[in-house]
Amino acid sequence: MKHDQAVSALTLLAPGIMSLLQDKGRLGQAHLGLTQGGPADSLAFDYANRLLANDKGTTALEISIGGTKLRCDHGCQIAITGAKAGVKINNMPAAQWSVLTLQKGDHIEIGYAEAGCRIYLAVKGGFVVKPQLGSTSTVLRERMGGYDGNALGANQCLFIKPTSLVPTVELPQAYIPTYPDELSLRVVIGYQYEYFPSLQRRRFFSGRYKVTKQADRMGYRLSGPTIEYPSRALYSEGVCAGAIQIPPDGQPIVLGADKQTMGGYPKIGSLLSLDLNQLMQASTGAVVTFTPITIEDAHALLALHRCREVPLIRGSSKNAQLPHKQEAT
Amino acid sequence: MSDANPKITIEPAAENALIIYFSSSPSPKTTHLIQSLKQGLQDSLDHKLIDLVPSFASLLVQYHTELTDHFEIKAAINCVWERVNTTSQNASAGKKVTLPVYYALETGPDLPTIAQQSGLSVSDVIQLHSSQEYLVYSIGFAPGFAYLGEVDARIATPRLATPRASVPKGSVGIADQQTAVYPASSPGGWNIIGKCPVDLFNMNKSPTMPYIVGDTVRFEAIDKETFLSLGGTL
């Protein structure tokens, strides 16, 4: 490794089901056929960085399902957000959605997700990874990002540049997402929406769909009422994360962060990003319904979300009770 | 279709994207218009844009919702389009790229199928594929994968009924009237007719790819010796 002033802060003893380095995504590279990637659930990812006062989009770990063990090699601060997964430090329960201060030798254990399916682990200052085409985001299909385009393996060292400590803040309990297994998702109508017969639109927006086993960072296949689309040849066109494709079998596919850059299936619209985050935390069997919204609604909802910045609060006693002899220096 | 005077329609694509559809069929002229519009939008909107994805008859425009909105982008598109569509075609013509291809049974397992169904000899198929220029209509599917068109109707061949689990890197394929080179090995259903020894996607090189949408590509038949000397592998 050739990170000059960087030190190994954490060693991944067990990567769990899948651990990927992600930043904001590889933006502006679609002309090369590269997808954007980035966190599947950007809300939980953003909170992990915000808790640590990192810049938005700083490189963090996205852990699917959990089962991850790490060892701290150099004092640092982390925040673990996303799926509820039973975090332990040196065998003592530790809070998620909260700044955790680690000392050399600490063992961090992330259990298996009980609600939600993607966990984010950010470190103060961010993991030091050489970007590829402007981003550290790992896209396995493209073998891009992370270390050599791969998921992280056991004994991988994760580097940081040591920085000063931040206050141990946490997200108020009321704002912590609960990741229910029944979701109502808002769809910005668009693309071929106008060409779907009104009966088919009604079927889609009144139907209950289930998340199938074929659900990953590239897309979620759903099963439920079949949606028909009048056969009309469609040239492949650019698609966004959140786009809802209706393939010939009539069963919707919602595209995720690792979508291909182009697709030839008709689309009825795209999920609001705030709701795509929720879907990407859902697992097989979760029930999904859809509500149509206009682009005006979507802009208003995003603006509201941005201006309603949730205040972080000083850590409660449960976080202060970390089994440390003293505060990290 | 009044290709002489194409129109555009603009639809929302997502909370941070809209898609422009061109009324004309895919053609060099349509691609030229899309490229001119894309360039104009890049110049006028610059940092407000996240990405622009041109395709056969559409252009996806993705923007930062912190900096702009659907309506500002839509107005800008109409503004640029008026200029692009009324001024004579002045966007610069694309580059011309030549790619060497070793056409042979050992690199192109589907050459006999194409020859058989077209009633041509294998060498005729090779001759037809390598004797014209192709336009880069679109890039996508995989890093560096360029959709080129259009091949002579006589050698146009539908995709395989069952895609191959793995098509080797550099393979040159035909699907209907499109042709392409696989920049990396991947599953694929195109009819494979040869292999190109040139690296088509290399992140450590600048430019990363030898072509962009709007460029033209010509294939040059090479023999086995040349293929191997250019770094090709069998």
Side-chain angles (χ1 to χ4, degrees):
Chain A
M1 299 289 158
K2 42 184 184 291
H3 310 294
D4 287 343
Q5 312 114 334
V7 296
S8 171
L10 295 166
T11 298
L12 198 57
L13 299 176
I17 303 297
M18 184 168 73
S19 293
L20 301 174
L21 289 161
Q22 296 293 344
D23 67 358
K24 64 187 182 305
R26 196 162 284 105
L27 308 182
Q29 302 293 350
H31 63 286
L32 302 176
L34 292 172
T35 194
Q36 291 178 346
D41 171 4
S42 58
L43 187 80
F45 169 86
D46 284 348
Y47 267 126
N49 278 322
R50 206 189 131 203
L51 284 160
L52 295 160
N54 287 343
D55 289 340
K56 203 174 170 184
T58 297
T59 303
L61 263 183
E62 178 180 288
I63 298 163
S64 293
I65 316 294
T68 306
K69 290 179 185 167
L70 304 107
R71 183 188 65 223
C72 176
D73 300 329
H74 189 280
C76 61
Q77 289 180 302
I78 61 169
I80 300 173
T81 63
K84 187 183 172 203
V87 175
K88 287 181 178 172
I89 295 176
N90 302 332
N91 274 323
M92 299 284 285
Q96 288 181 251
W97 305 90
S98 171
V99 173
L100 302 171
T101 305
L102 301 178
Q103 290 181 331
K104 188 177 173 179
D106 284 349
H107 276 254
I108 304 100
E109 198 175 332
I110 300 172
Y112 290 95
E114 297 156 30
C117 63
R118 292 173 219 281
I119 300 146
Y120 293 88
L121 187 156
V123 67
K124 171 63 187 153
F127 293 112
V128 177
V129 186
K130 192 174 169 225
Q132 284 183 301
L133 294 171
S135 167
T136 62
S137 282
T138 314
V139 179
L140 297 178
R141 172 169 43 90
E142 295 176 351
R143 299 188 63 82
M144 294 289 294
Y147 293 113
D148 304 321
N150 292 318
L152 298 178
N155 301 317
Q156 174 72 56
C157 293
L158 297 166
F159 293 82
I160 61 162
K161 285 181 182 164
T163 60
S164 53
L165 294 178
V166 291
T168 50
V169 292
E170 63 183 37
L171 185 68
Q173 186 68 37
Y175 294 97
I176 296 178
T178 52
Y179 307 121
D181 51 15
E182 190 145 345
L183 299 170
S184 168
L185 307 174
R186 290 158 290 186
V187 178
V188 185
I189 59 173
Y191 284 113
Q192 286 76 32
Y193 175 81
E194 297 294 335
Y195 298 116
F196 280 89
S198 63
L199 174 66
Q200 301 303 324
R201 292 186 213 157
R202 281 209 297 279
R203 273 171 76 80
F204 178 75
F205 287 111
S206 62
R208 285 164 66 83
Y209 289 89
K210 277 194 171 176
V211 173
T212 67
K213 281 184 183 164
Q214 288 163 292
D216 57 21
R217 287 180 44 85
M218 196 167 169
Y220 269 47
R221 275 178 190 266
L222 307 177
S223 73
T226 298
I227 305 304
E228 285 167 26
Y229 185 78
S231 78
R232 79 175 53 220
L234 192 65
Y235 294 107
S236 284
E237 60 188 36
V239 292
C240 303
I244 303 169
Q245 295 184 329
I246 309 291
D249 69 4
Q251 300 290 296
I253 302 170
V254 183
L255 300 180
D258 285 357
K259 73 196 157 57
Q260 294 184 353
T261 55
M262 301 213 306
Y265 293 135
K267 295 160 288 294
I268 200 162
S270 290
L271 286 189
L272 188 70
S273 57
L274 304 170
D275 294 0
L276 177 62
N277 293 331
Q278 290 195 52
L279 179 65
M280 288 290 142
Q281 287 286 5
S283 306
T284 313
V287 175
V288 176
T289 54
F290 298 101
T291 309
I293 61 170
T294 62
I295 186 70
E296 288 93 334
D297 297 334
H299 282 347
L301 289 163
L302 287 178
L304 271 175
H305 174 74
R306 269 198 294 271
C307 72
R308 272 188 205 145
E309 185 162 90
V310 175
L312 302 176
I313 55 171
R314 275 284 184 171
S316 56
S317 53
K318 67 182 176 201
N319 297 327
Q321 275 175 358
L322 272 179
H324 291 151
K325 296 169 205 89
Q326 59 187 43
E327 282 294 298
T329 49
Chain B
M1 204 65 80
S2 58
D3 266 27
N5 222 339
K7 290 185 169 44
I8 56 169
T9 49
I10 302 170
E11 296 290 343
E15 66 187 25
N16 67 346
L18 42 74
I19 186 159
I20 308 164
Y21 293 111
F22 293 74
S23 66
S24 49
S25 315
S27 68
K29 187 179 173 197
T30 303
T31 292
H32 193 73
L33 283 171
I34 294 172
Q35 287 305 108
S36 306
L37 182 56
K38 177 173 176 263
Q39 191 58 54
L41 290 174
Q42 238 152 11
D43 294 343
S44 66
L45 294 166
D46 187 34
H47 67 287
K48 292 180 179 175
L49 297 179
I50 298 173
D51 227 330
L52 290 157
V53 189
S55 191
F56 298 91
S58 66
L59 175 61
L60 181 81
V61 183
Q62 203 185 0
Y63 52 86
H64 288 285
T65 50
E66 298 90 339
L67 303 176
T68 182
D69 63 41
H70 179 83
F71 304 96
E72 188 192 9
I73 302 285
K74 193 170 174 176
I77 290 167
N78 283 320
C79 212
V80 175
W81 174 246
E82 211 167 295
R83 184 158 45 80
V84 166
N85 200 28
T86 50
T87 56
S88 57
Q89 304 306 300
N90 55 1
S92 56
K95 297 191 295 297
K96 289 181 189 295
V97 178
T98 302
L99 294 177
V101 175
Y102 173 41
Y103 297 95
L105 291 179
E106 58 183 327
T107 55
D110 299 319
L111 275 171
T113 323
I114 298 175
Q116 200 180 0
Q117 63 140 47
S118 58
L120 299 165
S121 67
V122 164
S123 60
D124 287 341
V125 172
I126 296 169
Q127 169 63 25
L128 283 173
H129 189 261
S130 58
S131 64
Q132 67 164 93
E133 277 186 347
Y134 300 101
L135 182 69
V136 179
Y137 278 102
S138 187
I139 289 170
F141 170 67
F145 191 97
Y147 293 84
L148 310 173
E150 289 169 319
V151 301
D152 189 292
R154 284 169 287 178
I155 57 171
T157 313
R159 288 175 176 78
L160 306 180
T162 309
R164 292 187 169 94
S166 180
V167 172
K169 174 181 173 173
S171 293
V172 180
I174 291 177
D176 302 318
Q177 273 189 271
Q178 303 178 102
T179 183
V181 186
Y182 282 81
S185 55
S186 83
W190 293 37
N191 300 275
I192 305 305
I193 57 168
K195 209 168 175 187
C196 169
V198 176
D199 220 359
L200 294 179
F201 184 84
N202 187 337
M203 276 185 324
N204 304 318
K205 272 206 273 193
S206 186
T208 312
M209 288 173 54
Y211 35 57
I212 58 168
V213 171
D215 287 348
T216 50
V217 175
R218 177 184 280 280
F219 295 107
E220 181 192 17
I222 55 169
D223 59 18
K224 187 171 184 169
E225 208 177 320
T226 315
F227 174 74
L228 294 172
S229 71
L230 288 171
T233 52
L234 294 170

